Amino acid sequence: MEFYPLTTKIRAYWENISTSYWFIPACLMLLSVVLCSLCLALVQRASIPAWLLAFFPIVTQSGAQQLLATLATSIITATSIAFSMTLVALVMASSQFGPRLLRTFMLDKGTQVVLGVLVSTFLFCLISLHHLSSITQNEDALSIISGLSALLTILDVFCIIYFIHHLAKFIQADEIIYRCFSDFLGDIDSLLPRPEDQVDERPLAEELAVRTSFSITLFSECCNYVQTINYRELVNRNPDLITGVEVFVRSGDYVVEGDPLITVYGRCEISKEIVAKYRKCLVFGRQRTPVQDPEFAISQLVEIALRALSPGINDPYTAITCLDRLTSACVIMHDREFPANCVVNTATDIWLLRRTFALASVINTAFDQIRQAGESHMAINLHLMHCYTKLKSHLDTQYHPLLQKHAKATTYLASQKTFSDKEQNELEEANKRFVEPT
């Protein structure tokens, strides 16, 4: 039976489409063309009831032409201003929050819809203006076309007001941080699926994954990031030939040409043609995506904090907000079960050995760089200790030694700087919570 990792590829493609400024506007423009075509096909045979004359007054052909031309000119001017404001916001976001945060801006559906509505209204007026000369007998039809264009323009006015308010709110640091954290919450089910969602898989001790002598290794043919890996397809392909699959990369890894990707172990000799099809289970791209990468959202929040602590910005309050969200993310991840390194498919008896993410690596990613960048800010050092304390109260005891190392590193870096006795004493008091009693 032939399997194709369509779901994995679709998720990777949808990630690229959803962060573009052309998809929703293109869909709305297509809808505008269909709506305009229907209107032109129907209104020429329509007449306006008397009670609608107040909303659709009778207009002449020259009056309708002038109205549509004016509306089209005004709307395309407003559209250019909206695009200019968007580009200014993107430049500000790139310089203040980091270029990788542009994904969060481009993912915003409000901006995409507003731009799409503006462009679609312009297209509606333009097509109506082009076909206006064919409507010569029915003045009611001219009135309906003109009235619909005016209604769409009124809608555009409200969209512009909403867009200005939305953009002013969206570029605030706290809103950006919340959006990144909210995206993480939306992806948590796919990043760390619950065990009951994978009933045909169970953990397997690594020593039970028998590596046979019949094996073939696939190597990278490109220099890109690993975006997604379809693990379910790996453990479902060719159960009569394959005993196990070992995956050397994980989502978010950068590979160069010639790096080993996966090794397939067979019950007997397996052809290279069969193994080559396993390459379809890996999707590569020019950048990392959050589809299967739990550390992606964490890295975004870390980047905001690092930018805030840079000498050019020097905004420790934004970094403190990032630390609060990072602490929440670690607590939420702790309540979920991370994928096992080695699993077996109970239906096909194919084992899978892979590199996975662990909560310890997530904690290191969340706090290491911020601790190093904020060593000269006592407020950051104290808040780091506060975050460690909160994590200690929520995480299992197996993570307490790791938190103790982080607390010790924070205290050591701060001791290399010059602070007042009061601040040093506060830091020492905070560190005592992590000192094991003798």
Side-chain angles (χ1 to χ4, degrees), residues 314-376:
N314 194 23
D315 181 13
Y317 295 104
T318 297
I320 288 174
T321 304
C322 291
L323 286 172
D324 291 334
R325 296 297 184 182
L326 288 169
T327 303
S328 299
C330 291
V331 172
I332 293 172
M333 284 190 176
H334 173 260
D335 295 334
R336 304 297 290 262
E337 184 174 339
F338 280 74
N341 289 341
C342 189
V343 296
V344 62
N345 188 311
T346 56
T348 61
D349 288 330
I350 298 177
W351 54 263
L352 172 68
L353 184 60
R354 57 190 173 180
R355 291 175 54 236
T356 59
F357 297 90
L359 182 59
S361 66
V362 172
I363 294 175
N364 292 333
T365 301
F367 297 108
D368 280 347
Q369 295 187 69
I370 298 179
R371 179 178 63 249
Q372 296 160 9
E375 59 181 353
S376 59

Side-chain angles (χ1 to χ4, degrees), residues 43-56:
V43 299
Q44 296 191 52
R45 296 185 294 273
S47 59
I48 302 177
W51 61 275
L52 276 180
L53 288 176
F55 300 96
F56 296 94

Side-chain angles (χ1 to χ4, degrees), residues 420-433:
S420 65
D421 293 339
K422 173 182 176 297
E423 293 169 331
Q424 289 286 4
N425 291 335
E426 289 179 356
L427 192 61
E428 291 295 336
E429 286 296 324
N431 188 46
K432 289 180 180 179
R433 306 189 190 106

Side-chain angles (χ1 to χ4, degrees), residues 319-321 323-324 378-388:
I320 288 174
T321 304
L323 286 172
D324 291 334
M378 181 52 74
I380 298 297
N381 293 325
L382 291 174
H383 202 76
L384 279 168
M385 301 299 288
H386 171 72
C387 293
Y388 302 152

Side-chain angles (χ1 to χ4, degrees), residues 370-428:
I370 298 179
R371 179 178 63 249
Q372 296 160 9
E375 59 181 353
S376 59
H377 295 267
M378 181 52 74
I380 298 297
N381 293 325
L382 291 174
H383 202 76
L384 279 168
M385 301 299 288
H386 171 72
C387 293
Y388 302 152
T389 304
K390 184 168 292 188
L391 286 176
K392 185 178 180 180
S393 64
H394 285 84
L395 271 55
D396 294 337
T397 55
Q398 62 175 323
Y399 298 104
H400 291 182
L402 176 63
L403 296 174
Q404 184 179 0
K405 291 180 180 179
H406 278 272
K408 184 178 179 180
T410 302
T411 305
Y412 172 77
L413 289 177
S415 66
Q416 307 301 308
K417 302 296 180 178
T418 302
F419 295 107
S420 65
D421 293 339
K422 173 182 176 297
E423 293 169 331
Q424 289 286 4
N425 291 335
E426 289 179 356
L427 192 61
E428 291 295 336

Side-chain angles (χ1 to χ4, degrees), residues 88-326:
V88 171
L90 292 176
V91 172
M92 291 178 57
S94 177
S95 60
Q96 184 171 356
F97 302 114
R100 277 162 291 280
L101 267 296
L102 292 182
R103 175 190 171 274
T104 303
F105 278 85
M106 299 185 70
L107 191 61
D108 178 54
K109 295 298 184 292
T111 301
Q112 297 180 22
V113 170
V114 169
L115 297 177
V117 169
L118 292 173
V119 176
S120 300
T121 305
F122 168 74
L123 190 61
F124 183 92
C125 294
L126 195 64
I127 296 176
S128 300
L129 190 62
H130 180 264
H131 288 80
L132 199 63
S133 60
S134 62
I135 307 176
T136 57
Q137 304 297 328
N138 192 346
E139 290 185 342
D140 287 351
L142 294 174
S143 300
I144 293 175
I145 288 291
S146 302
L148 288 175
S149 301
L151 290 176
L152 289 175
T153 305
I154 294 174
L155 174 63
D156 290 348
V157 172
F158 285 102
C159 285
I160 292 173
I161 296 173
Y162 162 79
F163 178 70
I164 295 174
H165 167 76
H166 178 72
L167 200 61
K169 180 181 178 182
F170 195 65
I171 60 177
Q172 298 177 22
D174 288 347
E175 181 69 16
I176 292 295
I177 295 171
Y178 174 76
R179 289 295 184 99
C180 293
F181 181 71
S182 180
D183 290 344
F184 161 77
L185 294 180
D187 294 334
I188 190 67
D189 286 333
S190 61
L191 294 173
L192 302 174
R194 299 183 183 277
E196 56 266 24
D197 297 335
Q198 301 175 344
V199 295
D200 57 346
E201 293 182 4
R202 61 178 178 84
L204 181 71
E206 186 173 340
E207 54 270 16
L208 297 180
V210 181
R211 297 174 174 85
T212 64
S213 57
F214 307 106
S215 64
I216 297 180
T217 300
L218 285 179
F219 297 91
S220 173
E221 297 178 347
C222 62
C223 298
N224 269 323
Y225 286 96
V226 180
Q227 292 184 337
T228 55
I229 302 174
N230 195 322
Y231 293 110
R232 295 188 65 83
E233 292 296 328
L234 291 175
V235 295
N236 277 290
R237 281 182 177 270
N238 306 308
D240 54 331
L241 296 175
I242 307 303
T243 61
V245 180
E246 185 174 2
V247 184
F248 303 107
V249 296
R250 66 184 183 186
S251 299
D253 285 352
Y254 183 80
V255 297
V256 299
E257 189 173 348
D259 282 350
L261 300 176
I262 60 176
T263 296
V264 181
Y265 297 92
R267 307 177 190 276
C268 58
E269 288 287 348
I270 48 179
S271 65
K272 293 183 179 180
E273 290 74 16
I274 293 178
V275 176
K277 295 179 180 179
Y278 282 79
R279 197 179 298 275
K280 297 180 181 179
C281 296
L282 284 76
V283 178
F284 301 92
R286 291 174 293 180
Q287 57 191 9
R288 294 175 65 177
T289 66
V291 176
Q292 282 184 342
D293 190 354
E295 293 182 358
F296 181 86
I298 302 296
S299 299
Q300 284 191 315
L301 291 172
V302 170
E303 182 171 2
I304 297 176
L306 295 179
R307 288 269 177 166
L309 293 174
S310 64
I313 298 177
N314 194 23
D315 181 13
Y317 295 104
T318 297
I320 288 174
T321 304
C322 291
L323 286 172
D324 291 334
R325 296 297 184 182
L326 288 169

